[in-house]
Amino acid sequence: MENQIICGESANLLKQVPEGSIDLVVTDPPYLCRYKDRDGRTLANDDNAGAVLPVFDEIYRVMKPNSYCISFYGWNAVAAFTDKWASLGFHTVGHFVWHKPYVSKTGFARYCHESAFLLAKGYPRQPDNPISDVQPWEYSGNKAHPTEKAVSVIAPLIRSFSKPNDLVLDPFLGSGTTAVAAALNGRDYIGIELEQHYCDHANRRLAGVKQMREREQVNLYGV
Ligand SMILES: C[S@@+](CC[C@H](N)C(=O)[O-])C[C@H]1O[C@@H](n2cnc3c(N)ncnc32)[C@H](O)[C@@H]1O
């Protein structure tokens, strides 16, 4: 399964991944907030906690002992996520916030941040040079996917919490951002996504990364 995008439902597909085989999970599940963007685009399972939270049972199982999972979440459903993570045995060891230089929505407040928990299975080694828990945000444009994260948002997490050649999993892959960030930083990846058209898009992005790396090899070694 390494370096593949697999199309389908993660709680089922992850059963094929051996226990304790994943070095790092970076994921961006549906926030359980019935998301709809200005163009009316929605997200699969964003209204269905029963199809999102059980994926974390499998995430916990496939993670190596003493490793990290970084999961974005929606503040609307924070208790559903934190209760699930605590029930599985995750320790919360950090929390990241990204301040958006624009407002996503105005209601009771002007909503302009994203957040993710840093979860530990066991007691992983701390990074040598820890990154700040307040991170710069870049807008992806959301062209291919309604909640696409920019590679520049995900890449620092991968660099900080994994080593080259480590295996990074994202079971809510969307347009492929985590896999692209992993590949660009010399990590292996497994990406799982429910919707075929996002899997196709992710595969096109990764083919582009592969071509780029092959061209770099030609330039470096003349082969
Ligand atoms: C918030 S989006 C991820 C966006 C991604 N970070 C990106 O940059 O494009 C969550 C994705 O999870 C997918 N999804 C929802 N439930 C799933 C499940 N049970 N198994 C696999 N994928 C699922 C949705 O189709 C959606 O594309």
Side-chain angles (χ1 to χ4, degrees), residues 8-11 28-31 43-45 51-52 55 145 147-149 170-178 192-195 198 205:
E9 202 285 313
S10 279
D28 178 23
Y31 289 180
L43 271 190
N45 289 335
V52 170
V55 176
H145 187 287
T147 65
E148 183 173 338
K149 303 286 185 285
D170 185 349
F172 297 103
L173 187 69
S175 64
T177 310
T178 303
I192 309 178
E193 165 56 43
L194 200 54
E195 301 231 39
Y198 295 141
R205 289 177 79 185

Side-chain angles (χ1 to χ4, degrees), residues 52-62 84 87-88 90:
V52 170
L53 298 176
V55 176
F56 285 95
D57 295 70
E58 288 301 313
I59 288 175
Y60 192 85
R61 186 187 66 78
V62 300
K84 181 69 190 179
S87 76
L88 291 169
F90 278 117

Side-chain angles (χ1 to χ4, degrees), residues 142-192:
N142 288 341
K143 290 199 182 82
H145 187 287
T147 65
E148 183 173 338
K149 303 286 185 285
V151 171
S152 63
V153 167
I154 303 298
L157 303 173
I158 290 180
R159 284 195 292 268
S160 186
F161 296 103
S162 68
K163 305 183 299 301
N165 302 315
D166 272 0
L167 181 55
V168 179
L169 167 71
D170 185 349
F172 297 103
L173 187 69
S175 64
T177 310
T178 303
V180 169
L184 286 172
N185 285 283
R187 274 64 168 173
D188 293 327
Y189 59 84
I190 296 175
I192 309 178

